[in-house]
Amino acid sequence: PAALTLTGLTKQYANADHPVLDGISLSVPKGQVLVIVGPSGSGKSTLLRTVAGLEPIQGGTIALDDQIIETGRPGSEKSGRSDRSSELRTRIGMVFQSYDLFPNKTVLGNLVLAPTIVQKRDKTQVEAEAVRLLERVGLADRKDAWPHELSGGQRQRVAICRALILHPEILLFDEVTAALDPEMVREVLDVILDLAKQGQTMLIVTHEMPFARAIADHVVLLEDGVIVEQSDDPERFFTQ
Ligand code: ADP
Ligand code: ADP
């Protein structure tokens, strides 16, 4: 079964004279990793943002676990959040290129916010889970730190935990290592590789080609808002 299915997804920004995504169809089976590659400006980031409900779509559908959660509406070009409910939003986790931790919350505060407020889960249990997640990414001793006290790599690992603690059906990664110093890239990629081993469903945009090759079950090449090539054989895709 597919965790995520896009059918004919079309997105156009207000004031643009052509769609930035033009009839994208793809699916991510449960437990698998789909990697999207393509030149700068091809629409990769926009694709993830529409899936996350951060941008309305004008055509096609987005389905989670075979249930349609969003249908394109012509005329909805204006940027901003789609009208998805917060419950639906928490079923899709997203980590961005720039660490977007809440600056006025500690690491633990960042992790417990959405589960307790949106999902109305018990704070003590959520905190215990937060600590377990931080242990998994090697940051248990930083739980009371403020975001500005962390390195870029540490912040990204916290951002990954903040997405994971919502138990999303799929995790989206948009160039999460692009803004990091080279020595921090590995520690973040290792966490993501570990998630893949544990069967976390993921949709990943990255320029790290050896990483893409190692983690992908399926690769999609996006150019000018359309899928121009795809493969179930990343090894071959990245060496040709
Ligand atoms: P966006 O439009 O979503 O910001 P871009 O495709 O412009 O994404 O690039 C995102 C980041 O990836 C930028 O910081 C850029 O410097 C970096 N980047 C772009 N191309 C490459 C590449 N070939 N290898 C490594 N990093 C790249
Ligand atoms: P990529 O991630 O592949 O670099 P993006 O999705 O960031 O591509 O951008 C695709 C195209 O959409 C680019 O031409 C970019 O300038 C345009 N674009 C991105 N965000 C916006 C926006 N908020 N409003 C208008 N145009 C945008």
Side-chain angles (χ1 to χ4, degrees):
L4 174 74
T5 306
L6 309 183
T7 309
L9 188 148
T10 296
K11 162 81 196 170
Q12 183 156 348
Y13 284 111
N15 307 321
D17 52 14
H18 64 279
V20 51
L21 297 171
D22 196 357
I24 301 289
S25 295
L26 60 81
S27 72
V28 189
K30 277 185 189 149
Q32 295 207 359
V33 177
L34 186 146
V35 171
I36 300 176
V37 296
S40 187
S42 57
K44 305 181 298 294
S45 196
T46 301
L47 180 60
L48 295 196
R49 291 173 55 79
T50 60
V51 172
L54 299 173
E55 292 283 351
I57 57 173
Q58 285 75 49
T61 58
I62 300 173
L64 261 191
D65 203 9
D66 294 333
Q67 175 206 351
I68 292 177
I69 60 164
E70 196 154 330
T71 301
R73 284 189 295 114
S76 62
E77 280 80 6
K78 219 163 142 279
S79 265
R81 288 178 147 218
S82 73
D83 51 14
R84 205 178 289 179
S85 70
S86 15
E87 287 73 21
L88 270 179
R89 282 176 203 284
T90 62
R91 293 172 60 186
I92 299 177
M94 183 155 173
V95 185
F96 302 86
Q97 176 178 332
S98 54
Y99 350 104
D100 57 337
L101 300 178
F102 309 116
N104 56 343
K105 299 251 176 241
T106 63
V107 166
L108 201 59
N110 267 272
L111 296 190
V112 300
L113 197 66
T116 52
I117 291 181
V118 181
Q119 296 180 322
K120 301 185 172 57
R121 282 156 57 192
D122 175 75
K123 188 160 182 226
T124 310
Q125 284 174 17
V126 169
E127 280 180 354
E129 180 175 357
V131 170
R132 286 197 299 276
L133 281 171
L134 289 169
E135 274 165 8
R136 241 168 94 182
V137 303
L139 290 176
D141 58 335
R142 305 298 281 153
K143 73 179 167 62
D144 298 317
W146 297 93
H148 74 265
E149 297 173 320
L150 304 177
S151 72
Q154 290 176 331
R155 281 182 230 175
Q156 278 305 46
R157 283 180 281 155
V158 173
I160 292 171
C161 292
R162 193 178 56 175
L164 280 173
I165 200 164
L166 292 165
H167 308 149
E169 288 155 56
I170 185 164
L171 261 184
L172 317 178
F173 290 93
D174 189 6
E175 297 280 9
V176 294
T177 59
L180 296 180
D181 292 335
E183 67 271 20
M184 294 168 189
V185 170
R186 190 76 244 167
E187 64 190 25
V188 173
L189 296 184
D190 283 345
V191 167
I192 304 174
L193 281 162
D194 192 46
L195 293 177
K197 271 194 211 125
Q198 293 169 30
Q200 173 70 49
T201 312
M202 296 186 277
L203 177 53
I204 299 178
V205 170
T206 183
H207 281 104
E208 299 285 341
M209 291 308 162
F211 165 71
R213 183 171 150 180
I215 202 167
D217 294 299
H218 191 80
V219 193
V220 162
L221 173 60
L222 198 65
E223 272 178 25
D224 279 334
V226 296
I227 294 175
V228 293
E229 210 180 318
Q230 50 186 314
S231 172
D232 284 323
D233 188 352
E235 193 78 15
R236 198 146 151 246
F237 181 93
F238 287 110
T239 46
Q240 71 191 0

